[in-house]
């Protein structure tokens, strides 16, 4: 599960076009399983969800999936069963008779995801896959994608939603100005804290400042504590509790990926 993040104009769409074989690189080379992308697509296919979904508005939902399944080369004896599976997977049972122009933004996005998953592809590229999804379907999307994990499959997700990439991706490339800035493993264990923490406390302000001298009060019992190694952070919390301060919550001010992103793009 590989993520791609970057500010607007960083080159995400260009890179995806290169991976799909729509563009040829002006320098260097792009290979998918050792093959030129266009050769790989023609021989093996790819699952692809574009950022902007453009499906003829007069097609009905089920008709659209039938057409895409035929174009994807699904065998005739599997076509009906597979369409039914993706309709159920994406919760579109009650939408199947509607025309594309009648679909809400969220349901159109789910139709786009359904067509990307029609075949059991080795490579799946998803461009802003949660765009337009409500919170319930954003969570269900995570479950769907996690279920797609398997040896020999690459899932490539480009997104502005850093929280989504933090939850899903094994590695995330951060690009800016057409250049790779860094590759982050957002869920890798580390003994250091690279981001400040927000601590919500009930207790004396002087005690808090005697333990965390650089803590900044944010109001409502919240303090921002600068980045510390985890041993120092835990020791400080233990001292606070020994001195009668009640700790009600602790959270990072930014996710690991967000902190890397800020540093990589100079913000």
């Amino acid at each position: 599960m590989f993520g791609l993040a970057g500010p607007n104009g960083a080159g995400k769409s260009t890179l995806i076009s290169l991976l799909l074989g729509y563009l040829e690189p002006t320098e260097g080379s792009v290979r998918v399983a050792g093959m030129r992308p266009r050769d790989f697509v023609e021989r093996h296919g790819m699952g692809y969800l574009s950022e902007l979904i453009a499906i003829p508005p007069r097609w009905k939902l089920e008709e659209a999936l039938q057409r895409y399944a035929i174009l994807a080369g699904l065998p005739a004896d599997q076509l009906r069963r597979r369409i039914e599976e993706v309709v159920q997977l994406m919760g579109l049972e009650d939408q199947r008779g509607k025309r594309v122009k009648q679909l809400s933004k969220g349901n159109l996005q789910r139709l786009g995801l359904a067509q990307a998953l029609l075949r059991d592809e080795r490579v799946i590229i998803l461009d802003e896959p949660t765009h337009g999804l409500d919170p319930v379907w954003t969570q269900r999307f995570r479950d769907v994608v996690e279920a797609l994990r398997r040896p020999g499959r690459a899932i490539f997700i480009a997104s502005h939603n850093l929280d989504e990439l933090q939850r899903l991706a094994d590695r995330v490339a951060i690009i800016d100005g057409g250049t790779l800035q860094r590759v982050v493993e957002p869920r890798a264990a580390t003994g250091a804290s690279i981001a400040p923490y927000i601590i919500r406390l009930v207790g004396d302000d002087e005690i808090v400042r005697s333990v965390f001298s650089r803590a900044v009060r944010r109001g409502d019992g919240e303090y921002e504590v600068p980045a510390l190694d985890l041993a120092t952070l835990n020791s400080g919390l233990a001292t606070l509790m020994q001195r009668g301060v009640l700790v009600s919550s602790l959270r990072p001010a930014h996710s690991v990926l967000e902190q890397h992103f800020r540093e990589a793009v100079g913000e």
Side-chain angles (χ1 to χ4, degrees), residues 70-91:
I70 292 169
L71 287 171
L74 273 174
D77 60 342
Q78 298 178 19
L79 190 144
R80 170 54 50 196
R81 174 181 58 81
R82 187 55 186 157
I83 289 174
E84 189 62 32
E85 287 174 352
V86 296
V87 164
Q88 291 185 18
L89 181 67
M90 300 311 302

Side-chain angles (χ1 to χ4, degrees), residues 99-137:
R99 298 190 185 277
V100 169
K101 65 182 179 181
Q102 296 174 305
L103 298 177
S104 67
K105 190 172 185 178
N107 286 332
L108 180 61
Q109 188 74 4
R110 284 149 62 187
L111 173 58
L113 283 163
Q115 68 78 27
L117 302 178
L118 278 167
R119 279 195 5 155
D120 192 30
E121 304 286 12
R122 292 168 56 193
V123 178
I124 300 173
I125 296 178
L126 305 175
D127 193 358
E128 298 293 345
T130 58
H131 181 66
L133 295 183
D134 62 31
V136 171
W137 267 100

Side-chain angles (χ1 to χ4, degrees), residues 1 11 19 31 62 75 82 87 94 147 153 163 172-173 186 217:
M1 198 85 73
L19 289 171
R31 294 292 181 267
E62 194 162 6
R82 187 55 186 157
V87 164
D94 59 345
R153 168 176 283 156
D163 179 61
V172 178
R217 188 179 179 91

Side-chain angles (χ1 to χ4, degrees), residues 48-229:
Y48 172 51
L49 172 69
S50 60
E51 180 179 6
L52 299 176
I53 300 171
I55 300 173
R58 293 185 61 82
W59 288 3
K60 291 185 177 181
L61 183 146
E62 194 162 6
E63 175 191 1
L65 289 174
Q66 288 173 346
R67 291 173 182 259
Y68 285 126
I70 292 169
L71 287 171
L74 273 174
D77 60 342
Q78 298 178 19
L79 190 144
R80 170 54 50 196
R81 174 181 58 81
R82 187 55 186 157
I83 289 174
E84 189 62 32
E85 287 174 352
V86 296
V87 164
Q88 291 185 18
L89 181 67
M90 300 311 302
L92 293 167
E93 297 95 326
D94 59 345
Q95 305 291 318
R96 66 172 77 231
K98 289 186 178 181
R99 298 190 185 277
V100 169
K101 65 182 179 181
Q102 296 174 305
L103 298 177
S104 67
K105 190 172 185 178
N107 286 332
L108 180 61
Q109 188 74 4
R110 284 149 62 187
L111 173 58
L113 283 163
Q115 68 78 27
L117 302 178
L118 278 167
R119 279 195 5 155
D120 192 30
E121 304 286 12
R122 292 168 56 193
V123 178
I124 300 173
I125 296 178
L126 305 175
D127 193 358
E128 298 293 345
T130 58
H131 181 66
L133 295 183
D134 62 31
V136 171
W137 267 100
T138 297
Q139 177 60 54
R140 289 187 66 175
F141 165 77
R142 295 174 194 147
D143 297 337
V144 168
V145 173
E146 284 291 350
L148 292 172
R149 283 184 183 271
R150 74 168 196 212
R153 168 176 283 156
I155 302 174
F156 185 101
I157 302 175
S159 180
H160 285 106
N161 188 334
L162 298 180
D163 179 61
E164 205 64 50
L165 295 179
Q166 172 86 28
R167 291 168 181 267
L168 286 172
D170 302 303
R171 293 182 297 153
V172 178
I174 300 173
I175 63 174
D176 191 19
T179 303
L180 177 66
Q181 301 297 326
R182 64 182 66 181
V183 177
V184 181
E185 296 183 20
R187 295 182 291 176
T190 175
S193 166
I194 67 164
Y197 274 89
I198 306 299
I199 306 175
R200 182 181 287 271
L201 306 167
V202 179
D204 189 280
D205 185 73
E206 291 186 7
I207 296 176
V208 175
R209 294 187 184 282
S210 70
V211 176
F212 293 115
S213 59
R214 295 169 57 200
V216 177
R217 188 179 179 91
R218 293 163 54 105
D220 296 327
E222 284 193 345
Y223 294 81
E224 181 171 322
V225 176
L228 301 168
D229 65 88

